[in-house]
CSV table of all heavy atoms in Angstrom, one decimal:
chain,number,residue,atom,x,y,z
W,26,LYS,N,1.2,9.5,3.8
W,26,LYS,CA,1.3,10.8,3.3
W,26,LYS,C,1.0,10.9,1.8
W,26,LYS,O,0.3,11.8,1.3
W,26,LYS,CB,2.7,11.4,3.5
W,26,LYS,CG,3.0,11.8,4.9
W,26,LYS,CD,4.3,12.5,5.1
W,26,LYS,CE,4.5,12.9,6.5
W,26,LYS,NZ,5.8,13.6,6.7
W,28,ARG,N,-0.9,8.7,0.2
W,28,ARG,CA,-2.3,8.4,0.1
W,28,ARG,C,-3.1,9.6,0.3
W,28,ARG,O,-4.1,10.0,-0.5
W,28,ARG,CB,-2.7,7.2,1.0
W,28,ARG,CG,-4.1,6.8,0.9
W,28,ARG,CD,-4.6,5.7,1.8
W,28,ARG,NE,-3.8,4.5,1.6
W,28,ARG,CZ,-2.9,4.0,2.4
W,28,ARG,NH1,-2.7,4.5,3.6
W,28,ARG,NH2,-2.2,2.9,2.2
W,34,GLN,N,-5.7,15.5,-4.2
W,34,GLN,CA,-5.6,15.8,-5.7
W,34,GLN,C,-6.8,15.3,-6.5
W,34,GLN,O,-7.2,15.9,-7.4
W,34,GLN,CB,-4.3,15.2,-6.2
W,34,GLN,CG,-3.1,15.9,-5.8
W,34,GLN,CD,-1.8,15.1,-6.2
W,34,GLN,OE1,-1.8,14.5,-7.3
W,34,GLN,NE2,-0.8,15.1,-5.4
W,35,LEU,N,-7.3,14.1,-6.0
W,35,LEU,CA,-8.4,13.5,-6.7
W,35,LEU,C,-9.8,14.0,-6.2
W,35,LEU,O,-10.8,13.5,-6.7
W,35,LEU,CB,-8.3,12.0,-6.6
W,35,LEU,CG,-7.1,11.3,-7.2
W,35,LEU,CD1,-7.0,9.9,-6.8
W,35,LEU,CD2,-7.2,11.4,-8.7
W,41,LEU,N,-10.9,9.8,5.1
W,41,LEU,CA,-11.9,8.7,5.1
W,41,LEU,C,-11.4,7.4,4.5
W,41,LEU,O,-10.7,7.4,3.5
W,41,LEU,CB,-13.2,9.1,4.4
W,41,LEU,CG,-14.0,10.2,5.0
W,41,LEU,CD1,-15.2,10.5,4.1
W,41,LEU,CD2,-14.5,9.8,6.4
W,45,LEU,N,-12.3,1.4,-3.7
W,45,LEU,CA,-12.3,1.6,-5.1
W,45,LEU,C,-13.0,0.5,-5.8
W,45,LEU,O,-12.7,-0.7,-5.6
W,45,LEU,CB,-10.9,1.7,-5.6
W,45,LEU,CG,-10.7,1.9,-7.1
W,45,LEU,CD1,-11.3,3.2,-7.6
W,45,LEU,CD2,-9.2,1.9,-7.4
W,49,GLY,N,-13.2,-2.6,-15.1
W,49,GLY,CA,-12.4,-2.6,-16.3
W,49,GLY,C,-12.8,-1.4,-17.2
W,49,GLY,O,-13.6,-0.6,-16.8
W,61,LYS,N,-24.1,-0.6,-5.7
W,61,LYS,CA,-25.3,-0.4,-4.9
W,61,LYS,C,-25.3,-1.2,-3.6
W,61,LYS,O,-25.6,-0.7,-2.5
W,61,LYS,CB,-26.6,-0.6,-5.7
W,61,LYS,CG,-26.9,0.4,-6.7
W,61,LYS,CD,-28.2,0.1,-7.5
W,61,LYS,CE,-28.5,1.2,-8.5
W,61,LYS,NZ,-29.7,0.8,-9.3
W,64,GLY,N,-22.8,0.1,-1.3
W,64,GLY,CA,-23.2,1.4,-0.8
W,64,GLY,C,-24.2,1.2,0.4
W,64,GLY,O,-24.2,1.9,1.3
W,70,ALA,N,-23.2,1.6,8.3
W,70,ALA,CA,-22.0,1.6,9.2
W,70,ALA,C,-22.1,2.8,10.1
W,70,ALA,O,-22.8,3.8,9.8
W,70,ALA,CB,-20.7,1.7,8.5
W,72,THR,N,-19.5,4.6,11.0
W,72,THR,CA,-18.5,5.6,10.5
W,72,THR,C,-18.7,5.9,9.1
W,72,THR,O,-19.2,5.1,8.3
W,72,THR,CB,-17.1,5.1,10.8
W,72,THR,OG1,-16.9,3.9,10.1
W,72,THR,CG2,-16.8,4.9,12.3
W,76,MET,N,-16.5,5.8,-1.3
W,76,MET,CA,-16.5,4.8,-2.3
W,76,MET,C,-16.2,5.5,-3.6
W,76,MET,O,-17.0,6.4,-4.0
W,76,MET,CB,-17.8,4.1,-2.3
W,76,MET,CG,-17.9,2.8,-3.1
W,76,MET,SD,-19.4,1.9,-2.7
W,76,MET,CE,-20.7,2.8,-3.5
W,84,GLN,N,-21.2,4.4,-19.9
W,84,GLN,CA,-21.9,5.6,-19.6
W,84,GLN,C,-23.3,5.4,-18.9
W,84,GLN,O,-23.7,6.2,-18.1
W,84,GLN,CB,-22.1,6.5,-20.8
W,84,GLN,CG,-20.8,7.1,-21.4
W,84,GLN,CD,-20.0,7.9,-20.4
W,84,GLN,OE1,-20.6,8.7,-19.7
W,84,GLN,NE2,-18.7,7.6,-20.2
W,87,LYS,N,-22.5,4.8,-15.3
W,87,LYS,CA,-22.1,6.0,-14.7
W,87,LYS,C,-23.3,6.9,-14.4
W,87,LYS,O,-23.5,7.4,-13.2
W,87,LYS,CB,-21.1,6.8,-15.6
W,87,LYS,CG,-20.6,8.0,-14.9
W,87,LYS,CD,-19.5,8.7,-15.9
W,87,LYS,CE,-18.9,9.9,-15.3
W,87,LYS,NZ,-19.7,11.1,-15.2
W,93,GLU,N,-28.1,7.8,-7.9
W,93,GLU,CA,-28.4,7.2,-6.6
W,93,GLU,C,-28.3,8.1,-5.4
W,93,GLU,O,-27.6,9.0,-5.3
W,93,GLU,CB,-27.4,6.0,-6.4
W,93,GLU,CG,-27.7,4.8,-7.1
W,93,GLU,CD,-29.0,4.1,-6.7
W,93,GLU,OE1,-29.2,3.9,-5.5
W,93,GLU,OE2,-29.7,3.8,-7.6
W,94,SER,N,-29.1,7.8,-4.4
W,94,SER,CA,-29.1,8.4,-3.1
W,94,SER,C,-28.4,7.5,-2.2
W,94,SER,O,-28.8,6.3,-2.0
W,94,SER,CB,-30.5,8.7,-2.6
W,94,SER,OG,-30.5,9.2,-1.3
W,95,TRP,N,-27.3,7.9,-1.6
W,95,TRP,CA,-26.4,7.0,-0.9
W,95,TRP,C,-26.5,7.0,0.6
W,95,TRP,O,-25.9,6.2,1.3
W,95,TRP,CB,-24.9,7.2,-1.3
W,95,TRP,CG,-24.7,7.0,-2.8
W,95,TRP,CD1,-24.7,7.9,-3.8
W,95,TRP,CD2,-24.6,5.7,-3.4
W,95,TRP,NE1,-24.5,7.3,-5.0
W,95,TRP,CE2,-24.4,5.9,-4.8
W,95,TRP,CE3,-24.5,4.4,-3.0
W,95,TRP,CZ2,-24.2,4.9,-5.7
W,95,TRP,CZ3,-24.2,3.4,-3.9
W,95,TRP,CH2,-24.1,3.7,-5.3
W,97,THR,N,-26.1,9.0,4.5
W,97,THR,CA,-25.3,10.0,5.1
W,97,THR,C,-23.9,9.4,5.5
W,97,THR,O,-23.0,10.2,5.8
W,97,THR,CB,-25.9,10.5,6.4
W,97,THR,OG1,-26.2,9.4,7.3
W,97,THR,CG2,-27.2,11.3,6.1
W,104,GLN,N,-16.8,7.9,-11.5
W,104,GLN,CA,-15.9,8.3,-12.5
W,104,GLN,C,-16.3,7.5,-13.8
W,104,GLN,O,-16.8,6.4,-13.7
W,104,GLN,CB,-14.5,8.1,-12.2
W,104,GLN,CG,-14.0,8.8,-11.0
W,104,GLN,CD,-13.8,10.3,-11.3
W,104,GLN,OE1,-13.2,10.6,-12.3
W,104,GLN,NE2,-14.3,11.1,-10.4
W,113,TRP,N,-5.7,6.4,-8.4
W,113,TRP,CA,-6.9,5.9,-7.7
W,113,TRP,C,-6.6,4.8,-6.8
W,113,TRP,O,-7.1,4.7,-5.7
W,113,TRP,CB,-8.0,5.6,-8.7
W,113,TRP,CG,-8.6,6.8,-9.4
W,113,TRP,CD1,-8.3,7.2,-10.7
W,113,TRP,CD2,-9.4,7.8,-8.9
W,113,TRP,NE1,-8.9,8.4,-10.9
W,113,TRP,CE2,-9.7,8.8,-9.8
W,113,TRP,CE3,-10.0,8.0,-7.6
W,113,TRP,CZ2,-10.5,9.9,-9.6
W,113,TRP,CZ3,-10.9,9.1,-7.4
W,113,TRP,CH2,-11.1,10.0,-8.4
W,125,GLY,N,-10.0,-9.3,-13.7
W,125,GLY,CA,-9.2,-9.0,-14.9
W,125,GLY,C,-7.8,-9.0,-14.6
W,125,GLY,O,-7.4,-8.4,-13.6
W,128,THR,N,-5.9,-5.5,-14.1
W,128,THR,CA,-6.3,-4.7,-12.8
W,128,THR,C,-5.7,-5.4,-11.6
W,128,THR,O,-5.2,-4.8,-10.7
W,128,THR,CB,-7.8,-4.6,-12.7
W,128,THR,OG1,-8.3,-4.0,-13.9
W,128,THR,CG2,-8.2,-3.8,-11.5
W,132,ALA,N,-3.0,-3.7,-9.0
W,132,ALA,CA,-3.4,-3.6,-7.6
W,132,ALA,C,-2.3,-4.3,-6.8
W,132,ALA,O,-1.9,-3.8,-5.7
W,132,ALA,CB,-4.7,-4.2,-7.3
W,133,SER,N,-1.8,-5.4,-7.2
W,133,SER,CA,-0.8,-6.1,-6.5
W,133,SER,C,0.5,-5.3,-6.4
W,133,SER,O,1.2,-5.2,-5.4
W,133,SER,CB,-0.4,-7.5,-7.2
W,133,SER,OG,-1.6,-8.3,-7.1
W,143,SER,N,-16.4,-10.9,-10.3
W,143,SER,CA,-16.8,-11.4,-11.5
W,143,SER,C,-15.6,-11.9,-12.3
W,143,SER,O,-14.4,-11.6,-11.9
W,143,SER,CB,-17.6,-10.4,-12.3
W,143,SER,OG,-18.1,-10.9,-13.5
Side-chain angles (χ1 to χ4, degrees):
K26 284 185 179 183
R28 185 178 300 112
Q34 290 173 34
L35 296 168
L41 291 180
L45 177 63
K61 287 180 180 180
T72 59
M76 190 168 77
Q84 293 301 313
K87 184 176 185 291
E93 278 299 308
S94 175
W95 297 98
T97 59
Q104 298 288 314
W113 289 102
T128 303
S133 296
S143 184

